[in-house]
Amino acid sequence: MEAFQKQVGQPLSRLEGQLKVTGTAKYSGDYQVPGLLYGYVINSTITKGKITRFDTSRAKAVPGIVQVFTYENRPSLAWFDLQYADMDAPPGSPFRPLQDEDILYNGQPIGLVVAETFELARYGATLVDVEYEEEAFETDLRKETPKARSPKIGMATMLKPLPPKPKGKFEKAYQESPAQVSAEYYHGTEHHNPLELFATTTIYEGDGKLTIYDKTQGTVNSQLYVANIFGLKYKDVRVISPYVGGAFGSALRPQYQLFLSVMAALELKQSVLVTLDRQQMFTFGHRPPTIQQTRFSADMDGKVTAMNHLAIGETSRFEDYTEVVVNWAHMLYPAANTLMQYKLVELDVYSPLDMRSPGGSTGMHAIESTMDELAYKTKIDPLQLRLINYSEDDVSLNRPYSSKELRQCYLQGAEKFGWDKRSPEPRSMRRGNKLVGYGMATGIWEANQLPAKAEAILTTDGKLRVNSAVTDIGTGTLTVTTQIAADELGMKIEDVEFLYGDSKKPFAPIQGGSFTVSTVGSAVKVAGVALKKKLFSIAKKMKDSVVSKADLKEVVFEDSRIFLRSDRSKSISFLEIIEANGGKPIKVSKFSVPSLLKQKKYSRATHSAAFVEVEVDEQLGIVNVTRAITAVAAGKIINPKTARSQILGGMIWGISKALREETIQDFNLGKYMNQNLAEYHIPVHADIHDLDVIFVEENDEIVNALGVKGVGEIGLVAMPPAIANAIYHATGKRINQLPIHFDSLL
Ligand code: MOS
């Protein structure tokens, strides 16, 4: 008999891939129902002040335009901040769409035109006259740095720890060290631009019931948000989101199109679709512009003696959005003297929002560029410098890592890349008329786990169905959880169905932070274990059961059967168990909770090392990332294909962050100026060359029962500094502002 094929570790293609590429998969804006109305949002054209007059009469006179909602005619809503606070809300007072006449930021939604067609609604929006009284505002982070202050602490701080306490005597140690490096780093605002635009279709079911197709990273998050604000029963609000066309953090929080769609549907007692257009994608959430200063020092043998890392990030006037920016250096490098500082500046902008490896990709840009500088100062190879300062433990918190195979990332990455062919001097490598540079950097990201629930059902036809409210934002969640479930029960992949993206299903938190496989995968696993036990207990009691005297350890689940380990000719099929159960399905449902007691003693993180080759044309200033390799240690890799794809996506984003991506601000207007994909630059196919991924073997029995750490963000973290370091190696120019513009290299 052929060995039974296990699924975990197999490079399975996305189970929903065909549906997506053939356009069969429905996104939140694709649900046509009879009588569906279309909403178009009106956004503020000023940055701060008050609306003094709204005239909606011209719009309302157009046949087919049903209603124009503004703060003047919106329904009365929840009072308390807490009712507007979603699972990802930072401390403060969440933004309330159409609350009153106050304008808090440029692009704020101030009205919704509802019409029989999208085009009519959009036309109607041009007919609404708004008058404002403008007030003074400030959107320039650099100008306001004297006002930087400590962040407020709130619930979100649990997943976003504040900086570690200072250690030793930074100033003294720094001054006394022979090698010192200090620099300032900056990146501006970046906006989420997933392919799928934000859309919500609210189906008005009557009796206070709503079915909502929402672009979200958390169906339960949107459900609670809607129920709390509109005073509905949780059970009457169902949020569905099976397919998401990219999110990357943008849909961690409910966005205003959800609010507006639900509000209009409830008021008009009709189904309403609200879609944002590409320009409106720049009117909520963004990666905050951040200023960083580093001062690192070392002995001439390369041992880092002191590290000071200060970050000043942007936040809004109404919430304290925070990121983990300055905690990483000391998690990696065991300097005895550290001073880590994190501050916020309030500006007249919308609250920033997590964007793929929030904080981590920001902080590591400064940290790993500074380490590179230190390598030149001490005349030590950059990779060697990392190895000299390699720490097995997390010295920032004085505890071991649950696992850390970063050394292998360095070694295997360097080997495959050919790092030893690098000549140390800047400007010493050429190819034709181009300068060639090799750069490397370290990546680190947290490996978290949250509680989640899953339900597992053996159906009457002997198949497995697993249910969870979790979304799949394009990461491969569906495929990976199906693999985990199949292996737990010993079934073929085609006999397992994972149903998800629905708030009616068992609880899952928002999808993000690279914690979804550890969180929902673990829930699927415990539900699978419970179902096995239940099947086994039924099998034992069957008439003439071949497993009647066996215990669970003495059997094996394979091929949809329970086999006796000692005699593989004896087995009971799942279908026979269903029959013994009176032909009824067998169902279990289990909560998985991270074992905090065990985890608390360890730091848990993924690590990576990125190696990059650039070619720089000095006459044109053009930079090409000709080759890049990222070696990743992320625990067990459930699916090497989907995981590789996550890392590649992160690496491409790293190229984008280093060389392309930025939202341009006009501080006089308080406005983002390049709100479109023509002027918001991202890499295209022609920018992407030879990318490679290595998964280093890493066994972790502490992080969770699956041994997984997550791969959603780690691919991005090390790329921007590796590229900046390669550019320095190629040109001798250290550019600390991202993206690196071609004119800075001329
Ligand atoms: Mo991720 S920025 O947590 O979606």
Side-chain angles (χ1 to χ4, degrees):
M1 185 181 142
E2 238 177 273
F4 181 73
Q5 175 70 61
K6 286 277 187 188
Q7 295 302 327
V8 169
Q10 292 300 312
L12 236 68
S13 292
R14 298 273 174 89
L15 298 175
E16 84 288 26
Q18 200 180 4
L19 291 180
K20 280 188 168 174
V21 298
T22 56
T24 315
K26 277 184 168 184
Y27 293 83
S28 300
D30 294 339
Y31 290 85
Q32 288 294 326
V33 292
L36 182 66
L37 297 173
Y38 298 80
Y40 189 84
V41 180
I42 306 169
N43 300 83
S44 162
T45 56
I46 69 159
T47 302
K48 193 171 183 168
K50 285 189 186 330
I51 298 165
T52 52
R53 196 177 72 96
F54 249 125
D55 184 354
T56 59
S57 57
R58 281 200 300 147
K60 280 199 229 164
V62 177
I65 291 184
V66 177
Q67 182 56 291
V68 181
F69 290 99
T70 68
Y71 76 91
E72 289 171 326
N73 65 344
R74 68 155 171 82
S76 81
L77 298 160
W79 273 88
F80 301 104
D81 279 343
L82 198 62
Q83 293 167 288
Y84 291 80
D86 66 280
M87 289 179 194
D88 194 33
S93 181
F95 175 70
R96 303 178 181 195
L98 309 194
Q99 175 66 12
D100 51 28
E101 65 271 41
D102 289 341
I103 301 297
L104 307 176
Y105 71 97
N106 204 303
Q108 174 179 320
I110 56 171
L112 181 77
V113 182
V114 182
E116 285 163 10
T117 67
F118 175 76
E119 289 74 14
L120 258 181
R122 186 170 55 181
Y123 171 61
T126 67
L127 302 178
V128 174
D129 300 311
V130 192
E131 283 170 26
Y132 304 95
E133 194 177 282
E134 288 195 64
E135 289 166 25
F137 57 81
E138 190 53 72
T139 58
D140 186 350
L141 174 67
R142 282 190 156 129
K143 207 167 140 194
E144 294 295 285
T145 49
K147 295 194 185 145
R149 56 158 177 84
S150 296
K152 295 176 196 120
I153 297 170
M155 278 299 281
T157 327
M158 262 168 51
L159 279 175
K160 293 183 169 177
L162 291 171
K165 291 195 182 74
K167 276 195 183 168
K169 291 181 177 150
F170 168 77
E171 204 59 51
K172 186 169 184 293
Y174 180 78
Q175 296 304 341
E176 288 171 1
S177 296
Q180 300 166 349
V181 173
S182 75
E184 182 167 309
Y185 298 84
Y186 178 80
H187 71 76
T189 307
E190 295 166 20
H191 272 91
H192 294 92
N193 273 288
L195 265 185
E196 183 200 10
L197 298 165
F198 273 65
T200 304
T201 307
T202 302
I203 310 292
Y204 187 79
E205 311 272 16
D207 301 334
K209 286 193 178 63
L210 300 176
T211 301
I212 302 168
Y213 297 96
D214 185 35
K215 174 175 181 128
T216 179
Q217 290 174 245
T219 56
V220 179
N221 198 28
S222 291
Q223 175 200 23
L224 300 182
Y225 178 83
V226 166
N228 288 341
I229 291 175
F230 294 96
L232 303 169
K233 294 194 183 105
Y234 294 138
K235 68 172 176 57
D236 289 342
V237 179
R238 181 177 184 189
V239 176
I240 301 177
S241 190
Y243 304 108
V244 178
F248 309 106
S250 60
L252 284 170
R253 302 189 68 184
Q255 300 303 357
Y256 66 75
Q257 92 289 340
L258 170 65
F259 175 100
L260 294 173
S261 163
V262 169
M263 178 201 71
L266 288 171
E267 286 298 289
L268 300 171
K269 302 191 177 0
Q270 235 174 307
S271 302
V272 178
L273 161 61
V274 177
T275 303
L276 303 188
D277 62 24
R278 187 54 69 180
Q279 295 203 343
Q280 288 167 335
M281 294 294 289
F282 290 77
T283 60
F284 62 90
H286 52 270
R287 195 193 294 279
T290 306
I291 297 165
Q292 300 180 72
Q293 283 156 8
T294 55
R295 287 190 296 162
F296 286 15
S297 62
D299 293 338
M300 287 316 282
D301 64 1
K303 276 245 184 311
V304 176
T305 50
M307 299 189 293
N308 172 208
H309 187 183
L310 161 71
I312 300 174
E314 174 197 81
T315 194
S316 64
R317 301 269 183 216
F318 46 93
E319 284 174 317
D320 265 19
Y321 171 81
T322 61
E323 303 185 310
V324 180
V325 181
V326 300
N327 302 26
W328 310 101
H330 206 210
M331 287 178 75
L332 285 165
Y333 305 122
N337 307 280
T338 60
L339 177 59
M340 305 305 179
Q341 301 155 292
Y342 180 64
K343 290 184 174 157
L344 295 179
V345 169
E346 286 177 24
L347 294 171
D348 296 298
V349 296
Y350 193 76
S351 299
L353 180 59
D354 290 334
M355 182 187 283
R356 205 173 198 172
S357 35
S361 58
T362 300
M364 290 309 282
H365 168 227
I367 294 162
E368 289 301 284
S369 300
T370 308
M371 287 298 280
D372 200 59
E373 279 276 277
L374 215 45
Y376 288 97
K377 266 266 155 79
T378 53
K379 298 194 169 38
I380 295 170
D381 175 86
L383 173 59
Q384 192 54 33
L385 185 75
R386 268 60 168 205
L387 292 171
I388 290 169
N389 289 289
Y390 194 86
S391 176
E392 298 296 342
D393 293 343
D394 173 1
V395 289
S396 74
L397 295 168
N398 290 318
R399 59 189 188 187
Y401 281 102
S402 61
S403 63
K404 179 180 175 182
E405 296 293 345
L406 174 60
R407 191 190 302 277
Q408 281 306 313
C409 294
Y410 287 138
L411 299 177
Q412 292 180 30
E415 167 77 26
K416 195 159 188 197
F417 181 82
W419 183 255
D420 58 350
K421 299 193 182 59
R422 176 182 187 267
S423 82
E425 279 303 302
R427 305 184 66 85
S428 61
M429 293 169 75
R430 281 182 180 273
R431 194 175 290 145
N433 68 336
K434 296 191 184 80
L435 292 164
V436 173
Y438 285 7
M440 59 85 54
T442 313
I444 180 168
W445 186 252
E446 59 216 352
N448 280 319
Q449 184 191 355
L450 296 175
K453 198 176 180 187
E455 180 184 62
I457 306 166
L458 188 70
T459 60
T460 52
D461 53 357
K463 311 238 163 157
L464 176 61
R465 184 181 303 149
V466 181
N467 285 308
S468 161
V470 72
T471 54
D472 181 340
I473 57 174
T475 47
T477 307
L478 160 65
T479 311
V480 167
T481 44
T482 308
Q483 287 173 276
I484 293 168
D487 274 13
E488 203 51 57
L489 271 294
M491 296 175 76
K492 291 198 182 73
I493 200 87
E494 56 269 28
D495 290 335
V496 182
E497 186 181 27
F498 183 71
L499 297 172
Y500 63 102
D502 182 347
S503 64
K504 267 221 167 5
K505 296 187 180 296
F507 172 83
I510 41 180
Q511 169 166 37
S514 298
F515 53 62
T516 298
V517 179
S518 71
T519 297
V520 177
S522 296
V524 168
K525 188 175 166 70
V526 295
V529 170
L531 183 60
K532 273 194 328 201
K533 282 189 186 149
K534 199 155 177 181
L535 298 184
F536 185 59
S537 76
I538 298 169
K540 271 173 85 84
K541 287 181 220 133
M542 283 165 65
K543 193 168 176 289
D544 303 323
S545 170
V546 294
V547 297
S548 62
K549 290 194 191 78
D551 76 22
L552 201 54
K553 286 196 203 75
E554 293 164 327
V555 298
V556 56
F557 286 71
E558 269 180 22
D559 229 356
S560 296
R561 307 180 79 87
I562 304 177
F563 289 93
L564 208 52
R565 266 186 209 277
S566 56
D567 181 357
R568 299 279 297 220
S569 70
K570 300 218 167 87
S571 71
I572 298 171
S573 77
F574 288 1
L575 277 173
E576 289 166 323
I577 297 172
I578 287 285
E579 206 185 302
N581 195 47
K584 291 196 297 286
I586 301 162
K587 193 193 291 192
V588 298
S589 147
K590 274 275 165 194
F591 237 108
S592 123
V593 189
S595 76
L596 293 176
L597 228 60
K598 194 166 153 193
Q599 290 180 352
K600 228 173 56 186
K601 296 183 202 131
Y602 299 88
S603 284
R604 292 158 289 129
T606 55
H607 292 91
S608 72
F611 297 85
V612 167
E613 179 193 272
V614 296
E615 279 182 6
V616 182
D617 182 328
E618 265 198 315
Q619 266 126 25
L620 298 173
I622 290 171
V623 179
N624 239 326
V625 176
T626 42
R627 289 195 298 135
I629 290 181
T630 301
V632 178
K636 190 180 196 72
I637 301 302
I638 304 286
N639 181 329
K641 192 174 196 174
T642 55
R644 180 183 153 84
S645 164
Q646 284 299 298
I647 301 302
L648 289 175
M651 290 172 75
I652 291 167
W653 202 324
I655 294 172
S656 187
K657 193 168 162 54
L659 300 173
R660 294 285 180 274
E661 201 167 336
E662 62 183 326
T663 311
I664 314 286
Q665 287 178 281
D666 183 322
F667 300 125
N668 294 317
L669 297 172
K671 193 175 153 91
Y672 301 122
M673 300 310 287
N674 54 338
Q675 305 192 11
N676 56 73
L677 286 184
E679 294 165 297
Y680 188 86
H681 292 171
I682 53 169
V684 296
H685 278 95
D687 295 315
I688 303 306
H689 302 286
D690 183 6
L691 301 185
D692 201 359
V693 181
I694 298 170
F695 288 111
V696 161
E697 198 175 316
E698 189 173 64
N699 295 313
D700 195 322
E701 284 168 12
I702 291 148
V703 69
N704 51 57
L706 291 163
V708 301
K709 287 182 174 175
V711 290
E713 339 233 0
I714 188 67
L716 166 53
V717 181
M719 283 295 284
I723 293 168
N725 295 343
I727 291 173
Y728 177 76
H729 182 236
T731 64
K733 287 183 184 147
R734 179 68 67 183
I735 314 294
N736 289 340
Q737 174 163 341
L738 299 185
I740 295 172
H741 292 156
F742 69 87
D743 54 318
S744 63
L745 296 170
L746 289 175

